[in-house]
Amino acid sequence: MAAEHQINAGFIPLFDSAVLVAAREIGFAAREGVDLTLSRETSWANIRDRIAIGHFDLAHMLGPMPIACNLGLTPLASDTIVPFSLGLGGNCVTVSNVVWAGMAAHGALPDVDPARAGKALGALIRERANAGRDPLRFAVVHPHSGHNYELRYWLAACGIDPSREIEIVIVPPPFMADALAAGRIDGYCAGEPWNSVSVVAGTGHIATVKAAIWKTSPEKVLGVRKAWAEKHPEALSALLRALHYAARWCQDPANRGELAALMAQSAFLGLHAAVQMPILSGHLQLGSGAERTVEDFFLPFDKAANFPWKSHALWFYTQMVRWGHVAHTPENLAIARDCYRPDLYRSALKPLGVALPGANSKVEGALASATPVGSAGASLVLGPDGFFDGQIFDPDEIDAYIAGQKLARAEA
């Protein structure tokens, strides 16, 4: 029997594409009447362009990328919406062994503490500048990525100006480890498993992680061509239900072995299953024999990981403003707010009786511990969700937040 809905989707070989992969390979999509075709790409630019020209109906995307597309910041952009998040966390900042040795000489410890690591990196940067050496070069996966914004946020909060004191370049995720090994970059911020690849190769050290910079913070999303979504609402709803079941399956510890083996296949990551386990367990090999278990390192389902919070979109927008990617205007703010679509998520999943948050936005960084919150359907627990520097982002006070960031940058 032919599937009721045909959907073409693109993805990048990163572990946080697992919810899409599981939806197809474990059969959740087929059960919802969806014939889901997955196409592997090597760069986020390719994903963006193939969405724009209609090769893909939807794709595994960087959280800020659909916002950037809708704001006209990218070539070949098309109106893109986000009705589903593919998970929270999962990124690391990895540095070369030489840089780590320099950081360790200034007090860094293998504990992924962002404040300590950032202070040590700042001291190393100033030491190199005083000696007349070139700035360190860090790579991120795309200008409009959570990686770029979390790297900049971490550095700025530690007193480092990422626009002047280091160089930031763009490298596709699968090339990060090789670029570090070749000495073309000194460090990078990327999703797993590409940090663990450098550690296993003996060429890099994980300095800190996204889950420590901002706990339970947004990462990849499902980016959907708006025109396609409006033309095929039933197909989108069916896929969102399939992704819900897939995400729940990915979160279950009982499925870790099967999921790691699935993602290890050449069609997806093409890396040994053992390299997938750190993101699943949160137990990271940091380099030089050091290891650390990070709570909530990557969440594909728990703590409303799949809900497209408008406050996540708005925080990304504030960082676009902070680093000069877009002007802060009422029109741009509205575009960013309207990009994430919790209404579509609710519509698709309400019949299942699952936990649905009672609001579309929340104050980010306000929960110091895991906290039950109001929801429709099943019970829901959120947090902790703090920023490492103690800051709070209230989406209802966005003007004050942006002004505070400008003031902090001017003082720096």
Side-chain angles (χ1 to χ4, degrees), residues 9 23 45 51 170 172 293 389:
I51 278 272
I170 307 302
T293 298
D389 59 351

Side-chain angles (χ1 to χ4, degrees), residues 88-89 210-218 295-296 362 364-365 367-368 383-388:
L88 304 173
K210 182 184 184 78
I213 296 170
W214 177 12
K215 298 178 186 297
T216 57
S217 53
E295 184 178 4
D296 294 341
K362 56 188 173 73
E364 301 292 343
L367 299 178
D385 67 352
F387 293 89
F388 83 99

Side-chain angles (χ1 to χ4, degrees), residues 13-24:
L14 289 157
F15 196 90
D16 53 24
S17 66
V19 173
L20 270 170
V21 172
R24 173 177 167 77

Side-chain angles (χ1 to χ4, degrees), residues 157-180:
C158 293
I160 301 166
D161 186 341
S163 297
R164 295 189 303 166
E165 294 188 271
I166 66 166
E167 181 185 1
I168 297 180
V169 298
I170 307 302
V171 175
F175 300 162
M176 289 289 194
D178 289 342
L180 189 75

